[in-house]
Amino acid sequence: MTLFSRLSNLFFRVIDVRIWLSSAAVIILILLLVLTVNYAREKDMAELFSQQQLANVKNTATRLSEVFSQVEKNVALFSRFDSQLKKTPEEIDSYYKILSSGWENALNSIVLLDATGKIKVFYPRENLPRINLLNHFKIIKKERKQYLSVVVPGKLRVADFKQKTGRYLIIGCPLQHQSGEFGGAWIVIFSLAVVVNKYEEQARYNEMGEVWLIDENQQIIIHDNPAFIGENIKSLFKNGKGAQIDFSAGQGGYFEAMVRQNDTKQQRSVIAFYPLQAGYKRWILFVATPYSQVISPVRKTFVYTLFGSFLLILVVIIASISFAYKEGKRLRIKEGVKRLKEREDWQEKLLREKKIMEGIIEGSPIPSFVINNEHKVILWNRACTELTGYSAEDMLGTDNQYKPFYSTPRPIIADLIIDNKREDLSKYYGTKEIKKADNVLGAYEATDYFQNLGGRSRFLYFLAAPIYDEKGEIVAAIETLQDITREKEMTRSLNEYAETLQNELVENIELRRQIEELYNYLQSIINSLPDKIYEIDENGIINYMSSGLKKGGTQTLDFKGKYFIDFVTPGYEEIVLSKWQDAKKGIYDSYEIEATGKDGRKHNLLITTSPVTGTSHFILVQRDITEFKNLEKELYESQKLSALGQLSAGIAHEIRNPLSSIKMSLQILAKRMNPEGNDLKRFRIAEKEVDHLEMLVNNILAFAKPVEPKKSPIALSKILEQAIALSEKGITDKKIEIQTEYNDIPLVTVDAHMMADAFLNIIRNAVEASKEHGKIKISLRYAYENHQSVVVEIKDDGNGIDEEDMPHIFNPFFTRKNYGTGLGLSLVKKIVDIHQGMINIFSKKNEGTKVLIILPLGTESARSPITNND
């Protein structure tokens, strides 16, 4: 190893990356702390300096105010001069020198103007004023009071700026005659820059910064840069705080802002300002100090501290490196000694473990042998000797490891692993289930059958794995053998048993399929029954419920696991519970109860209970006998009506002939007697009552007489129009509006005369129930989507029928009219029934009545349930 490499390794070992990261973190934290402290000190320094600067500016502004006040007082002395100037020039010059004493450098000239504005005298005589005084004179003449102004040219020349000329302070004083008339004016011209100069020099000497002066209009009149003279003071602060301060408020202050140095350069400055009084005008004095100058002491201290910190850190790092180098050298020596001792320990341990491993392998019950990279057997344990019949003395140091297994020389798995010829494994063990071992890296396993190994036939399992040295190179290979003959025999037996189980499973599956088919068939039979079947345990809990022919009802899951009494119609619980107790005692009597469906209809149910043979459960059969009950009721009603009809027909037949005689006699008497007044009225009443009795007799005979309809194809619309025409008188008297709506319906096979009577009865009832100007709607359309039936709808907006009368409207002789027979609707229902039709009436009191008559188009019956929605 070269010297450079040794030094590099030494350096990288000494300078650990973690030490550098920790050192860097400490340095960064120190820098952040120093920067934070420095920032706070800078802020405090700027604030303290601003307060001191404000005090200095205030002091300077006060002194300038006093200077301007003294100048005004001196100028006021000129107003005592005689406006005619009768003194000699020498006396005037002497007097001027006295008045201007102390102001020689600042005084430019003193001028006397007469009442017309002409210059009469000026001093010094050799210094003629350079500015136009006429405008100032006019103001003095107009206002006639002391005057003060500043003259600053629009563009100040650099030469004038450096010589502090071109900017003048003008103070004027008016003169008056004894008569009070304006006599002229004294104008004294001062160099403004000279007046302010000593304060500027004092500020620079004290490193206070620049001195600015602005007038009452906030225009700059004193500034170090002539380009800014005449501009507004706020134009110097670009996007700064100063642009938001009202300087004319009369209070001094200080702030920080970015101040323009020229058109492109800005400078952060601390600015203090304070107002001063110049005559009757209020000016403001500014002192601007660069921020860097303000905090320069703090920054110098910061730099010195930072430099010292870096030196200290550098010294600490160098000392750390030196210490780390010495400590590392000591540790490396110590580590070398330690490793040398560990190496000796490991060598001793390896020798010991080698002996142990050889002992383990030798004593292992698993047949094993090891070959080296020269294919020589170096280990052959006792188990291997017992399995193969070859002793270790016969095999050690030889390459005959194949002999116990094969009759001719050939490599075994361990030989192929030593030579790294894994592609030859399939050549020699292609049919021996050769594959990589799952748990041992680089190992292979195979299975082979030997007819005579150790004196008998065997199945052997081979597992061979490489043995590596410390460099990762193969130096030997170990191969283990395992007699798996018993496992193979067990596997064969298990395969035969599994095949038997498979056959039985197939038979069981087929049997299950047949059972399921039988179950489904029996289930379909049960579900096809019109009755519902319940299977109930001895506690009355429902275990099963058939669906029955009617679908869409309560699901089986809604009943299963619940007490059957919970589903009995209220009022029948005691009866059902009593019958249930009888059934548990062996008394199985059928009984009837009523139930209300979800649609609100009542159903008659026949309940039969029977035991399930061999169990404690019961079968409960529920049969809906509502139709049987209705047929029974209809049979009873028909028998009753038949008897009533026969009786009524006999009575009507006996009454009919006398009524005819009475009617004829009344007609004859009326012709012969010619009654008048009350007699004629009584004759009319008698005739009306006879007509009423005759109509009653005719209706009774028509209702009771068995009639066979004479059917023929005819348009129902024609029959309806005929019935409307026969009711014309009542419709006209009440001024009722008739609305008809006939759809395109084919001819219907009916008895036209009977249907006309039926429609006439219904229309007359509608007319009688309607009020004046009422409305009756008659429509004809298909009853259902299959177009097998037609429906005639007659709807009025009359008085309607009371709800308690609705069940009796088709009963014979039931009527609420004063002169009604009560047979009209009974006759209509009879005619509709004869035609295999159906009639339904829907009515609400004071809302009207709707009558629906459904007639079949063919021979099929039109009877099917109708609801309000239909």
Side-chain angles (χ1 to χ4, degrees):
M1 184 179 291
T2 63
L3 179 61
F4 178 78
S5 299
R6 292 181 178 178
L7 291 175
S8 298
N9 292 334
L10 180 61
F11 179 80
F12 285 111
R13 289 178 182 178
V14 173
I15 310 301
D16 190 82
V17 175
R18 291 174 297 177
I19 296 176
W20 279 107
L21 290 176
S22 301
S23 300
V26 171
I27 292 172
I28 291 172
L29 290 175
I30 292 173
L31 289 176
L32 290 175
L33 178 61
V34 171
L35 289 173
T36 303
V37 173
N38 180 68
Y39 178 77
R41 290 189 62 194
E42 287 183 358
K43 281 292 184 184
D44 294 340
M45 185 67 182
E47 180 67 20
L48 181 61
F49 181 85
S50 299
Q51 294 175 1
Q52 293 176 351
Q53 190 79 304
L54 177 61
N56 293 332
V57 171
K58 180 178 179 181
N59 187 28
T60 304
T62 302
R63 285 186 288 166
L64 277 175
S65 298
E66 293 174 354
V67 169
F68 288 134
S69 175
Q70 185 62 40
V71 169
E72 289 179 350
K73 291 177 180 179
N74 290 345
V75 172
L77 295 176
F78 286 96
S79 62
R80 300 176 184 177
F81 276 20
D82 186 4
S83 60
Q84 301 297 324
L85 293 178
K86 295 180 180 179
K87 294 186 180 182
T88 62
E90 291 77 9
E91 293 178 342
I92 294 175
D93 289 344
S94 175
Y95 194 63
Y96 282 173
K97 290 178 181 180
I98 294 172
L99 291 178
S100 61
S101 176
W103 298 98
E104 293 84 355
N105 296 329
L107 183 64
N108 182 269
S109 59
I110 301 174
V111 182
L112 175 64
L113 293 89
D114 61 11
T116 61
K118 292 181 180 181
I119 298 175
K120 297 180 67 176
V121 178
F122 61 89
Y123 174 84
R125 298 185 180 277
E126 69 278 0
N127 192 7
L128 187 66
R130 297 180 182 179
I131 58 177
N132 186 4
L133 301 176
L134 184 58
N135 292 332
H136 302 285
F137 174 78
K138 290 180 178 179
I139 296 173
I140 295 171
K141 183 177 180 180
K142 179 180 180 181
E143 297 183 357
R144 296 192 181 186
K145 64 180 181 179
Q146 197 169 18
Y147 171 75
L148 185 142
S149 180
V150 176
V151 177
V152 180
K155 289 185 178 180
L156 191 64
R157 294 181 301 170
V158 177
D160 292 341
F161 181 77
K162 291 181 177 179
Q163 297 173 6
K164 303 186 181 298
T165 59
R167 293 170 291 175
Y168 301 101
L169 177 65
I170 299 177
I171 299 176
C173 182
L175 296 176
Q176 291 183 350
H177 294 296
Q178 293 181 353
S179 60
E181 295 180 358
F182 180 73
W186 288 100
I187 294 179
V188 181
I189 303 171
F190 292 93
S191 174
L192 183 60
V194 176
V195 174
V196 183
N197 181 53
K198 68 176 183 177
Y199 300 104
E200 290 181 328
E201 292 178 353
Q202 183 180 359
R204 291 190 184 93
Y205 177 77
N206 295 329
E207 296 184 349
M208 294 171 58
E210 298 180 3
V211 177
W212 307 337
L213 186 63
I214 65 171
D215 61 10
E216 68 278 5
N217 297 320
Q218 296 192 4
Q219 290 183 343
I220 300 171
I221 56 179
I222 297 294
H223 196 281
D224 286 358
N225 190 343
F228 293 149
I229 294 177
E231 293 188 11
N232 191 287
I233 184 64
K234 292 187 179 181
S235 65
L236 296 184
F237 310 120
K238 193 169 185 180
N239 296 329
K241 184 177 178 182
Q244 303 174 0
I245 298 176
D246 185 10
F247 299 115
S248 62
Q251 299 293 329
Y254 57 87
F255 59 91
E256 293 181 18
M258 297 301 294
V259 180
R260 288 171 50 203
Q261 302 300 309
N262 49 46
D263 293 338
T264 59
K265 184 179 178 182
Q266 298 182 22
Q267 185 181 55
R268 185 179 178 185
S269 300
V270 176
I271 302 163
F273 64 92
Y274 199 83
L276 62 88
Q277 194 71 30
Y280 58 89
K281 295 187 178 182
R282 192 179 184 85
W283 294 348
I284 301 176
L285 181 66
F286 285 80
V287 175
T289 307
Y291 189 80
S292 59
Q293 180 180 332
V294 173
I295 64 172
S296 60
V298 177
R299 285 191 175 175
K300 288 178 182 179
T301 304
F302 171 70
V303 170
Y304 295 150
T305 304
L306 189 61
F307 180 72
S309 300
F310 275 119
L311 287 178
L312 179 61
I313 292 170
L314 184 60
V315 169
V316 171
I317 291 174
I318 293 173
S320 300
I321 292 173
S322 176
F323 175 76
Y325 172 75
K326 292 180 181 179
E327 185 66 16
K329 185 176 180 180
R330 186 184 66 80
L331 291 175
R332 281 194 303 277
I333 295 173
K334 184 178 179 181
E335 186 70 20
V337 174
K338 182 179 178 182
R339 287 184 179 179
L340 183 60
K341 187 176 182 307
E342 287 179 352
R343 185 174 182 180
E344 294 175 353
D345 293 341
W346 273 107
Q347 288 177 348
E348 183 181 351
K349 186 176 180 181
L350 286 173
L351 290 174
R352 187 168 61 254
E353 288 182 352
K354 180 180 179 183
K355 293 179 181 180
I356 293 173
M357 289 301 297
E358 289 176 351
I360 291 173
I361 294 174
E362 179 65 25
S364 173
I366 299 174
S368 307
F369 63 90
V370 180
I371 62 173
N372 59 17
N373 54 6
E374 295 178 356
H375 302 277
K376 301 293 182 181
V377 178
I378 60 175
L379 183 61
W380 190 275
N381 69 354
R382 286 194 300 271
C384 196
T385 300
E386 294 173 358
L387 176 68
T388 62
Y390 286 82
S391 65
E393 290 78 10
D394 297 333
M395 303 302 296
L396 289 176
T398 68
D399 57 357
N400 297 329
Q401 55 267 24
Y402 68 90
K403 277 189 176 183
F405 313 107
Y406 307 105
S407 58
T408 58
R410 54 161 284 179
I412 61 174
I413 301 176
D415 293 317
L416 296 174
I417 290 176
I418 289 290
D419 294 335
N420 199 18
K421 292 182 178 180
R422 290 172 174 79
E423 64 275 4
D424 290 342
L425 288 170
S426 59
K427 177 181 177 181
Y428 293 101
Y429 292 92
T431 60
K432 312 300 182 182
E433 302 177 7
I434 186 70
K435 64 178 182 177
K436 276 187 175 183
D438 296 330
N439 300 324
V440 182
L441 181 64
Y444 287 85
E445 59 185 18
T447 304
D448 201 356
Y449 173 74
F450 300 95
Q451 187 136 8
N452 185 9
L453 182 65
R456 65 186 183 92
S457 60
R458 300 175 189 268
F459 282 95
L460 290 185
Y461 166 77
F462 299 92
L463 175 62
I467 299 174
Y468 299 96
D469 61 5
E470 67 274 6
K471 296 180 181 179
E473 297 179 356
I474 298 175
V475 295
I478 183 172
E479 189 164 341
T480 62
L481 313 174
Q482 187 176 352
D483 188 354
I484 58 172
T485 305
R486 181 178 294 180
E487 287 81 353
K488 284 290 185 180
E489 292 176 353
M490 290 182 64
T491 301
R492 184 174 65 251
S493 300
L494 287 174
N495 288 336
E496 293 175 356
Y497 181 66
E499 186 177 355
T500 304
L501 288 178
Q502 179 68 25
N503 295 333
E504 292 180 358
L505 180 61
V506 171
E507 293 176 359
N508 289 336
I509 291 174
E510 178 63 21
L511 181 60
R512 181 188 177 113
R513 186 187 63 78
Q514 294 175 2
I515 292 173
E516 287 181 350
E517 288 182 356
L518 179 61
Y519 173 80
N520 293 333
Y521 178 68
L522 294 176
Q523 185 70 30
S524 64
I525 291 175
I526 293 175
N527 291 335
S528 299
L529 294 175
D531 304 332
K532 279 192 176 181
I533 299 175
Y534 299 85
E535 194 266 336
I536 305 174
D537 64 12
E538 67 275 11
N539 297 318
I541 303 300
I542 300 174
N543 297 322
Y544 170 80
M545 184 191 79
S546 66
S547 60
L549 285 176
K550 295 183 179 180
K551 306 294 181 181
T554 306
Q555 300 296 321
T556 303
L557 294 177
D558 296 338
F559 284 79
K560 191 172 181 180
K562 297 181 179 179
Y563 191 45
F564 79 103
I565 295 295
D566 295 341
F567 302 97
V568 176
T569 304
Y572 290 90
E573 294 93 339
E574 293 184 2
I575 298 174
V576 174
L577 191 58
S578 174
K579 293 294 183 181
W580 169 248
Q581 296 297 333
D582 291 344
K584 292 171 71 174
K585 296 175 182 177
I587 304 172
Y588 307 110
D589 294 334
S590 300
Y591 56 94
E592 296 180 10
I593 62 172
E594 285 188 358
T596 303
K598 289 186 176 181
D599 56 356
R601 296 183 180 182
K602 289 186 177 181
H603 298 268
N604 297 94
L605 303 178
L606 176 65
I607 309 299
T608 303
T609 308
S610 60
V612 179
T613 305
T615 67
S616 60
H617 292 197
F618 297 87
I619 294 294
L620 190 148
V621 180
Q622 171 187 302
R623 176 171 294 178
D624 190 344
I625 58 173
T626 305
E627 294 184 4
F628 296 104
K629 286 290 183 179
N630 291 338
L631 289 174
E632 187 180 77
K633 185 177 180 180
E634 288 179 4
L635 177 62
Y636 173 75
E637 290 292 333
S638 64
Q639 291 175 350
K640 182 176 69 173
L641 291 175
S642 177
L644 181 63
Q646 292 176 1
L647 175 63
S648 300
I651 295 173
H653 183 73
E654 295 296 328
I655 294 175
R656 191 173 187 180
N657 291 332
L659 280 176
S660 298
S661 300
I662 293 171
K663 184 176 180 180
M664 187 179 298
S665 298
L666 286 172
Q667 290 175 351
I668 292 172
L669 288 172
K671 289 181 180 180
R672 288 180 179 179
M673 296 176 65
N674 291 323
E676 294 180 356
N678 291 331
D679 293 336
L680 179 60
K681 184 176 179 181
R682 292 188 180 92
F683 265 100
R684 298 298 184 206
I685 292 173
E687 289 179 352
K688 183 177 178 181
E689 294 296 333
V690 170
D691 290 339
H692 175 67
L693 289 173
E694 189 176 15
M695 183 180 67
L696 177 61
V697 169
N698 290 335
N699 286 337
I700 292 173
L701 291 175
F703 177 76
K705 182 180 180 182
V707 180
E708 186 68 24
K710 298 178 181 179
K711 297 183 180 180
S712 61
I714 190 170
L716 287 181
S717 58
K718 292 184 178 180
I719 300 176
L720 288 169
E721 290 296 332
Q722 181 182 355
I724 293 172
L726 292 175
S727 304
E728 184 67 27
K729 185 176 184 305
I731 294 171
T732 305
D733 291 344
K734 288 190 174 184
K735 300 178 182 180
I736 296 173
E737 178 186 353
I738 302 294
Q739 295 180 352
T740 58
E741 182 181 345
Y742 305 141
N743 288 357
D744 188 9
I745 300 297
L747 301 180
V748 182
T749 302
V750 297
D751 187 319
H753 178 70
M754 285 186 177
M755 293 310 300
D757 287 344
F759 292 152
L760 179 61
N761 265 297
I762 294 172
I763 294 173
R764 281 179 176 174
N765 285 343
V767 171
E768 291 174 0
S770 298
K771 300 177 182 178
E772 289 192 5
H773 303 284
K775 184 187 295 183
I776 298 174
K777 182 179 180 180
I778 303 172
S779 61
L780 176 63
R781 64 180 184 276
Y782 284 111
Y784 307 109
E785 292 182 356
N786 58 12
H787 291 189
Q788 296 297 317
S789 304
V790 295
V791 59
V792 176
E793 179 181 331
I794 301 173
K795 183 178 180 181
D796 65 69
D797 57 355
N799 297 326
I801 304 172
D802 290 335
E803 186 176 353
E804 60 269 16
D805 293 340
M806 288 296 295
H808 312 292
I809 56 177
F810 292 115
N811 292 342
F813 307 109
F814 178 80
T815 182
R816 294 295 185 186
K817 300 177 185 178
N818 294 331
Y819 293 96
T821 62
L823 292 172
L825 287 179
S826 300
L827 183 61
V828 171
K829 188 175 187 306
K830 180 178 180 181
I831 294 172
V832 172
D833 290 341
I834 290 173
H835 287 82
Q836 296 297 311
M838 185 172 61
I839 180 171
N840 280 277
I841 297 178
F842 306 95
S843 180
K844 286 187 178 181
K845 189 65 176 177
N846 298 323
E847 292 186 12
T849 303
K850 178 172 68 175
V851 180
L852 296 178
I853 297 176
I854 299 177
L855 298 171
L857 286 174
T859 58
E860 296 181 359
S861 175
R863 298 186 178 185
S864 61
I866 291 181
T867 65
N868 281 310
N869 292 331
D870 296 334

